[in-house]
Amino acid sequence: MVTRRHLFTRLSAALASAVVGKAALAALPDIVSTDSTAMRKPLEPPNGRPYQPVATLNGWTLPWRMRDGVKEFHLVAEPVEREIAPGMRAHLWGYNGQSPGPTIEVVEGDRVRLFVTNRLPEPTSIHWHGQRLPNGMDGVTGLNQPSIQPGQTFVYEFRAQRAGTFMYHPHADETTQMAMGMMGFWVTHPPDPAVMHVDRDYVFLMNAYDISPGSYTPKVNTMLDFNIWTFNSRAYPGIDPMVARLGERVRIRVGNLTMTNHPIHLHGHEFVVAGTDGGWVPPAARWPEVTTDIAVGQMRAIEFTAAAPGDWAFHCHKSHHTMNAMGHGVSNSPDDSGLAKQIAASVPGYMSTGGMGGMQMSMPLPENTLPMMTGDGPYGNIEMGGMFTVVKIRADLARDDYRDPGWYQPPKDSVAYLWTGEAPPVSLRG
Ligand SMILES: [Cu+2]
């Protein structure tokens, strides 16, 4: 484990060769870093204009330093270790200790200065996806700037011109660097906190990895056949629940930096798409949905009123995206003929994907490998992995409480039940 002191020592050495001028070097903000996967409480702004902070699933917001009216952030691109879910860790690249990097939160009109230090073994750059900014701050290697060499620190500076939902990611060796987990969320809040006000504002990025069972490092040349589908580099049951008090207005902002689209589905409620990559959707132009497709490179902000108490599933509706590694590359024959058993007798390790519900926990798995369908619920195995979590709506929740309230206790006689009467006679038609 690298200690903080070591990090600082390494940083000092790296900075000796940095491209920024001496005055800027002396002014570099401290590096704030974490190795935690726990969701931090929304960061109330200690200075600057007020806003309502967001909650990052299994993540956090990067503190800034206010200097002469400019919000200064320090991002460090570096190798990190991320727990994907209990039982599996991955060797990724990210920012400030984790993948994804910390969320950046500013207010429309803020002057922002971002110091980006490269501690990766290869050049990088950083692109502020969706922002209006000077062309030279857009971060495309070769087009807008030279790449940030290992050890160098670059400075980006612009005014946050439009409230909305944004992302940051490299525009250098992209397939490798995003396949390794380099990305982060950015929220620009409206200047008036009463505008587009919600009670809870959750954010996360969708990302995907190809990590062979028994290994730790993503295969970066994979283009399509990923086997770990994640929200903020976490797979269910490692993903935080999104909790809300009954009646609250809830916003969930999602960015997609995988290589495919994800139809995101909420149970028990209708929502509207209140924001896209380009800003807020005018209220008259919104329509109700229970699923919305989020294409590659897109951001969506959905909103709904937490109208019904309970534990409501929230997930990608591509069913192989709610499965972990074991679901990929095995035969896909649902076995109702006993064939799988016959094959298994002669082919060691053969499994069919059909009919496997409920037996996941008992199967032997390679080291550092998540079961395909998992998650212990109040009624048994939830049989979900990957891009799945739970919206937990409770009447008795404090307004600032983001902790997991445990499983829902439904009112008596409100749960589907086993029918135990007589079977009716079979009637044939025609
Ligand atoms: Cu999906």
Side-chain angles (χ1 to χ4, degrees):
M1 205 60 210
V2 182
T3 66
R4 251 183 118 67
R5 180 168 296 276
H6 281 125
L7 287 180
F8 280 113
T9 309
R10 277 194 344 208
L11 180 72
S12 318
L15 289 179
S17 63
V19 292
V20 289
K22 279 227 154 57
L25 265 182
L28 257 182
D30 287 349
I31 296 166
V32 190
S33 191
T34 185
D35 59 5
S36 169
T37 57
M39 184 178 81
R40 261 189 236 168
K41 255 194 174 182
L43 177 68
E44 294 292 340
N47 53 42
R49 288 173 296 160
Y51 62 81
Q52 206 208 349
V54 300
T56 304
L57 291 194
N58 300 102
W60 59 303
T61 286
L62 187 62
W64 63 86
R65 177 178 72 183
M66 191 66 98
R67 191 158 169 269
D68 301 330
V70 180
K71 282 182 180 167
E72 293 186 333
F73 297 87
H74 193 171
L75 286 170
V76 179
E78 60 187 355
V80 303
E81 186 172 297
R82 177 74 162 175
E83 184 192 62
I84 301 286
M88 183 190 178
R89 307 187 74 79
H91 297 160
L92 304 179
W93 290 354
Y95 299 93
N96 300 55
Q98 282 296 292
S99 161
T103 299
I104 306 277
E105 289 184 78
V106 299
V107 179
E108 185 180 295
D110 278 352
R111 186 101 211 149
V112 185
R113 187 176 297 129
L114 302 120
F115 298 84
V116 180
T117 298
N118 182 8
R119 282 189 192 151
L120 298 171
E122 66 171 29
T124 190
S125 78
I126 195 159
H127 165 59
W128 315 102
H129 186 115
Q131 304 270 3
R132 296 179 196 161
L133 34 61
N135 187 239
M137 296 292 162
D138 200 40
V140 179
T141 299
L143 179 66
N144 305 122
Q145 64 165 89
S147 57
I148 312 173
Q149 297 297 318
Q152 292 181 337
T153 295
F154 267 52
V155 185
Y156 296 83
E157 187 164 340
F158 55 92
R159 192 173 291 283
Q161 293 186 45
R162 172 170 72 73
T165 304
F166 305 92
M167 311 185 277
Y168 62 88
H169 63 78
H171 236 293
D173 195 11
E174 277 178 68
T175 42
T176 296
Q177 296 190 7
M178 286 204 270
M180 289 295 285
M182 296 189 70
M183 56 190 73
F185 217 96
W186 177 306
V187 173
T188 300
H189 295 278
D192 177 358
V195 171
M196 301 297 300
H197 175 83
V198 290
D199 299 297
R200 294 181 194 245
D201 200 338
Y202 290 99
V203 309
F204 67 88
L205 292 170
M206 296 189 285
N207 32 18
Y209 299 99
D210 182 13
I211 303 177
S212 296
S215 69
Y216 290 79
T217 305
K219 290 191 263 183
V220 296
N221 290 327
T222 295
M223 302 294 156
L224 292 172
D225 195 15
F226 298 90
N227 62 9
I228 306 278
W229 299 94
T230 59
F231 293 167
N232 274 357
S233 302
R234 294 278 285 182
Y236 191 75
I239 302 173
D240 284 324
M242 290 181 273
V243 303
R245 180 191 171 97
L246 190 64
E248 281 183 333
R249 190 75 179 164
V250 180
R251 179 182 297 137
I252 301 174
R253 309 188 199 222
V254 188
N256 180 3
L257 287 175
T258 72
M259 292 302 110
T260 189
N261 61 315
H262 302 281
I264 291 295
H265 178 51
L266 170 65
H267 289 211
H269 294 74
E270 305 87 41
F271 60 76
V272 292
V273 175
T276 71
D277 315 57
W280 303 118
V281 178
R286 301 173 190 176
W287 62 83
E289 294 272 20
V290 297
T291 303
T292 193
D293 199 23
I294 306 179
V296 181
Q298 283 189 327
M299 294 85 80
R300 290 289 180 267
I302 68 167
E303 287 183 18
F304 60 97
T305 299
D311 289 341
W312 301 104
F314 177 95
H315 60 96
C316 174
H317 217 288
K318 288 183 175 174
S319 50
H320 65 298
H321 292 180
T322 52
M323 271 183 195
N324 294 321
M326 293 298 285
H328 297 255
V330 299
S331 160
N332 64 350
S333 53
D335 181 27
D336 56 4
S337 66
L339 182 64
K341 274 188 195 132
Q342 291 174 36
I343 299 174
S346 53
V347 183
Y350 176 86
M351 290 183 305
S352 86
T353 51
M356 291 179 61
M359 55 181 282
Q360 296 298 309
M361 305 312 284
S362 61
M363 293 190 326
L365 292 168
E367 185 220 4
N368 198 50
T369 300
L370 296 173
M372 184 170 87
M373 303 186 292
T374 183
D376 284 326
Y379 305 101
N381 191 324
I382 296 175
E383 300 179 4
M384 288 284 167
M387 293 174 156
F388 180 95
T389 188
V390 181
V391 172
K392 297 193 171 191
I393 300 172
R394 300 289 186 273
D396 56 350
L397 205 64
R399 295 239 172 244
D400 63 344
D401 193 352
Y402 285 79
R403 292 171 301 174
D404 186 343
W407 299 114
Y408 181 58
Q409 308 286 330
K412 198 171 176 297
D413 299 330
S414 70
V415 177
Y417 59 94
L418 177 69
W419 186 77
T420 54
E422 296 265 313
V426 176
S427 65
L428 295 174
R429 279 195 179 186

